[in-house]
Amino acid sequence: DDPTPDNNEDSETDQIRAAIGDFVWADDDADGIQDAGESGIAGVTVTLYSGAGTEISTTTTLADGSYRFVNIDPGDYYLIFDQPAGYWTSPQNLGSDATDSDIDIITGQTVTTTLTAGEYDDSWDAGFYQPATIGNYVWLDADQDGMQDGTEFGIPDITVQIFDTSDM
């Protein structure tokens, strides 16, 4: 008998294929874990490689941040995610496989995984965050009103320090 569910008209044995994929999201708090309300990122390029390093296929994430590679042979594979412009890569493997970012922060690559016949492994996620910035301008507030007036100019070469109060 032909065990392939959607092709039972012949008596040959067909290989049941596999699939891999899941989600790329905007990690708003940069903690490497998908939280409620963190949305997907569209248009991120994801490339599938064989365990031996041969490029198999490339896709981009959909509007909801999802992606999937289907109809691939069972075997060893890894993924590489391109970092979207304006984003940094979230920390890797800080939660469960279902909700954490699985990519190396430098290379964008996952570890190698083995897919079996008929398997859809939907646990391969990538989180990216937009770094925060702080800063503006230092000036001598001559009239001490907290506003820069037209005659109050900037002060050069001032060292500014920032502290993380969560460590205090």
Side-chain angles (χ1 to χ4, degrees):
D1 288 316
D2 181 354
T4 307
D6 59 355
N7 179 11
N8 289 323
E9 297 176 7
D10 61 40
S11 62
E12 297 193 19
T13 301
D14 295 330
Q15 183 175 15
I16 299 175
R17 310 287 278 192
I20 190 171
D22 203 18
F23 189 58
V24 175
W25 86 98
D27 188 9
D28 296 335
D29 56 2
D31 67 352
I33 299 171
Q34 298 171 41
D35 299 311
E38 291 181 330
S39 59
I41 303 174
V44 176
T45 301
V46 185
T47 306
L48 176 69
Y49 290 87
S50 72
T54 302
E55 184 177 323
I56 304 298
S57 184
T58 298
T59 192
T60 56
T61 56
L62 301 176
D64 66 355
S66 67
Y67 74 95
R68 184 183 318 182
F69 294 96
V70 297
N71 202 26
I72 56 178
D73 291 332
D76 295 337
Y77 295 94
Y78 64 89
L79 302 160
I80 294 182
F81 295 76
D82 288 355
Q83 184 173 320
Y87 286 86
W88 290 7
T89 305
S90 294
Q92 180 182 23
N93 294 330
L94 295 181
S96 72
D97 281 340
T99 61
D100 69 359
S101 184
D102 299 303
I103 63 172
D104 180 272
I105 63 169
I106 304 298
T107 65
Q109 180 177 324
T110 66
V111 297
T112 300
T113 188
T114 301
L115 299 176
T116 59
E119 178 181 12
Y120 171 43
D121 186 346
D122 64 347
S123 65
W124 297 97
D125 306 307
F128 295 97
Y129 66 94
Q130 293 179 308
T133 59
I134 188 169
N136 196 349
Y137 196 71
V138 176
W139 78 95
L140 176 60
D141 189 10
D143 59 6
Q144 299 178 2
D145 66 355
M147 298 177 15
Q148 184 182 9
D149 303 319
T151 59
E152 297 172 334
F153 297 99
I155 303 172
D157 302 320
I158 297 293
T159 300
V160 177
Q161 293 180 314
I162 187 167
F163 297 92
D164 181 355
T165 60
S166 66
D167 294 337
M168 298 179 151

